[in-house]
Amino acid sequence: MSDVNIGPAVGAEVSSEGPGTPIEVLRVEGLEVAFSRYGKGWSRDRLKVISNLNLTVRSGEIVAVAGSSGSGKSLLAHAVLGILPRNAHTSGRINFMGKALTPARLKKLRGTRIAFVPQSVEYLDPLMRVGRQISPDRQAVLAAFERYRLDPSVAELYPHQLSGGMARRVLVASAVVGDPQLIVADEPTPGMSKELADKAMKHFRDLADAGVAVLLITHDIDLALGYADRVAVFYAGTTVETAPADDFDARERLRHPWSQALWQAIPANGFQPTPGHQPYAGRLPQGCLYAPRCPRKGHDCGHHAPPTVTIRGGEVSCCYAS
Ligand SMILES: Nc1ncnc2c1ncn2[C@@H]1O[C@H](COP(=O)(O)OP(=O)(O)O)[C@@H](O)[C@H]1O
Ligand code: SF4
Ligand SMILES: [Mg+2]
């Protein structure tokens, strides 16, 4: 794998048909992420943790990313934002508005046209009052705080003085203060009441309806389905399916066995967990990564990675998808 951080701009078309026409804001293609590991003496190797992530987000849509813990959701967000640890090596392509998202472009766009709601509150600067680090525009900060029922006095607090739920609301509020074209929200709702989580989702929906592209990473697929347009399903560092959110209305409308397993795990659909576990990085099976758990497994599955095909308006990586 090469260390090329971001490839040349290809693939995305920026529409010239006017503001109402959806345009491709984010395109992630064949993203791989590996980490250097240092052993005894000078020895080191690389552990590949993401092997093939693919995703697009257009203006005006919410794309939810679903998948169990460790499937690569946060690393995708960090790769887009250019904040992976120093020992991370990436390859593949990340385009923003049709052009490669280079470190120089990211520097200009991060915090303005590209907003991030991190999964952890540790991303806040511990030495700076929260209001100041969200925006120098106090009025904008207070308007965002009001929306999330945060008292204006919270702006004067330091991060360690916030309760968990309050900190999450601060993070969500911070992403919507500017004028973003893309919002990447990594698990924005844990710790919020159902009412406030719905309110946050509704806010993302309003922003999408106003033309913002929203990448919504979530554990709570049930909550996200009420607001998302499309869902990208991850498994062990790969995108296995991208489906219109409506396809989650019925199990048989989903194309990949893992998406169907996630569907079955939703409380309203019986809360049935799938036996087995996601394979660990460095110990991936040959061929399809889902094969050890797959009820549909056939002769071809164990030999090579399944091709990605488009079926009924969704993309799926499975040898036997229908
Ligand atoms: N800094 C790191 N060094 C090594 N492995 C990492 C690092 N960060 C994440 N990983 C591994 O990458 C995989 C994906 O992580 P992550 O994107 O955080 O998953 P999630 O889908 O839960 O957000 C996991 O197996 C995790 O252990
Ligand atoms: S490629 Fe084979 S093992 Fe993998 S999900 Fe499809 S049917 Fe199952
Ligand atoms: Mg995560």
Side-chain angles (χ1 to χ4, degrees):
M1 182 167 52
S2 81
D3 278 1
V4 178
N5 192 21
I6 287 150
V10 293
E13 292 296 327
V14 176
S15 167
S16 57
E17 289 173 38
T21 312
I23 55 177
E24 192 176 278
V25 175
L26 178 70
R27 169 178 286 258
V28 176
E29 233 173 50
L31 180 69
E32 297 189 1
V33 179
F35 290 97
S36 294
R37 292 188 300 187
Y38 300 87
K40 282 192 182 134
W42 291 102
S43 76
R44 62 171 159 162
D45 64 356
R46 281 188 187 178
L47 178 69
K48 196 193 281 188
V49 294
I50 284 187
S51 48
N52 190 13
L53 287 188
N54 297 284
L55 180 112
T56 58
V57 192
R58 294 184 281 264
S59 58
E61 73 171 353
I62 298 180
V63 175
V65 174
S68 45
S69 192
S71 59
K73 304 183 297 296
S74 291
L75 289 181
L76 165 73
H78 297 176
V80 171
L81 271 295
I83 54 170
L84 286 168
R86 290 174 64 140
N87 65 330
H89 307 271
T90 67
S91 69
R93 214 164 262 141
I94 301 178
N95 285 2
F96 177 74
M97 299 299 285
K99 283 194 284 190
L101 196 48
T102 57
R105 281 187 84 207
L106 257 173
K107 211 171 160 192
K108 283 196 213 135
L109 295 164
R110 203 167 36 214
T112 54
R113 307 320 300 276
I114 302 179
F116 180 42
V117 182
Q119 183 171 10
S120 165
V121 175
E122 286 160 19
Y123 284 82
L124 289 173
D125 182 342
L127 302 176
M128 202 171 165
R129 294 181 200 276
V130 296
R132 284 293 304 281
Q133 55 184 308
I134 288 176
S135 166
D137 181 346
R138 193 170 160 77
Q139 284 313 314
V141 170
L142 293 186
F145 274 21
E146 197 178 341
R147 208 178 241 276
Y148 288 97
R149 290 196 214 135
L150 290 161
D151 192 85
S153 61
V154 172
E156 305 308 321
L157 300 179
Y158 289 95
H160 76 270
Q161 295 173 299
L162 306 175
S163 70
M166 205 189 266
R168 287 236 62 85
R169 283 183 276 154
V170 167
L171 291 174
V172 176
S174 70
V176 297
V177 164
D179 181 22
Q181 277 175 302
L182 172 68
I183 296 177
V184 178
D186 191 359
E187 311 260 8
T189 56
M192 289 186 186
S193 65
K194 170 85 175 91
E195 187 199 354
L196 211 54
D198 272 316
K199 206 171 164 197
M201 288 293 155
K202 170 96 178 40
H203 193 186
F204 286 130
R205 186 66 259 169
D206 290 345
L207 288 158
D209 291 343
V212 179
V214 181
L215 180 63
L216 175 69
I217 293 168
T218 181
H219 251 92
D220 194 344
I221 189 167
D222 211 4
L223 176 72
L225 285 174
Y227 300 90
D229 299 287
R230 292 189 296 133
V231 180
V233 179
F234 285 10
Y235 189 75
T238 64
T239 310
V240 296
E241 177 167 357
T242 310
D246 288 350
D247 286 356
F248 276 82
D249 286 352
R251 185 181 184 277
E252 59 278 8
R253 283 172 67 178
L254 296 168
R255 300 153 191 79
H256 196 281
W258 174 237
S259 312
Q260 295 179 343
L262 289 180
W263 182 94
Q264 273 177 205
I266 294 173
N269 302 331
F271 217 168
Q272 303 164 54
T274 298
H277 58 80
Q278 189 173 251
Y280 297 108
R283 271 183 271 157
L284 300 179
Q286 272 247 305
C288 174
L289 302 184
Y290 192 60
R293 300 169 81 181
C294 183
R296 218 191 280 166
K297 181 170 62 180
H299 180 261
D300 292 344
C301 304
H303 298 297
H304 33 76
T308 302
V309 291
T310 301
I311 297 175
R312 292 178 280 107
E315 289 91 54
V316 59
S317 301
C318 172
C319 300
Y320 298 105
S322 56

